[in-house]
Amino acid sequence: MIRTALRQWDLGAAADSLAWQAASSIRKLAARPVDCVAGQIELCLGLRPTDRLLLIQIQRGPERPEADDGTLAEEDCRHIIAIVYGHRRAHNGPGIWYTRTFVWRRPDSPAIDH
């Protein structure tokens, strides 16, 4: 799914590398049962090609687990993944493709959700 979206955005050869990097980061987050509630997740992809930046928001599905007292649990499972990518020129040779990945947790609060 991620690879298909990136290919539709005309990223060429970069699509496969970015899709692999994104999938790897998502798998690492999904493997953390302490951070996330198991179940459905939602992905939101954003691309800023002029900045060479791929943004991914990961959020648990609309169903939030209930705490013991019947209220919604406060567990936070929204993360942002930012992948910066590009091609660095080399003096002698074809150059080097690079990606840098940054992951952070975003509070689950509508007041800061812009």
Side-chain angles (χ1 to χ4, degrees):
M1 173 182 79
I2 295 171
R3 181 179 292 133
T4 302
L6 295 176
R7 285 183 178 167
Q8 289 176 351
W9 286 337
D10 294 327
L11 287 175
D16 290 338
S17 178
L18 288 172
W20 180 87
Q21 189 72 27
S24 176
S25 297
I26 292 166
R27 276 193 301 274
K28 287 177 187 175
L29 289 174
R32 294 176 167 177
V34 172
D35 289 349
C36 288
V37 177
Q40 179 182 356
I41 62 170
E42 297 173 0
L43 295 177
C44 179
L45 301 176
L47 179 68
R48 296 184 180 177
T50 56
D51 298 325
R52 297 179 183 238
L53 174 65
L54 173 64
L55 292 170
I56 305 166
Q57 179 175 303
I58 304 170
Q59 184 173 329
R60 73 177 155 276
E63 304 84 23
R64 291 182 84 180
E66 288 188 10
D68 293 336
D69 62 0
T71 62
L72 293 179
E74 292 298 323
E75 295 179 24
D76 181 10
C77 189
R78 185 163 35 168
H79 292 83
I80 304 293
I81 301 172
I83 303 175
V84 180
Y85 63 93
H87 189 264
R88 194 169 291 142
R89 294 185 203 172
H91 296 293
N92 301 332
I96 300 169
W97 169 259
Y98 70 89
T99 61
R100 299 289 183 265
T101 304
F102 305 92
V103 179
W104 65 94
R105 176 183 254 164
R106 183 171 180 191
D108 209 7
S109 168
I112 60 172
D113 191 13
H114 302 240

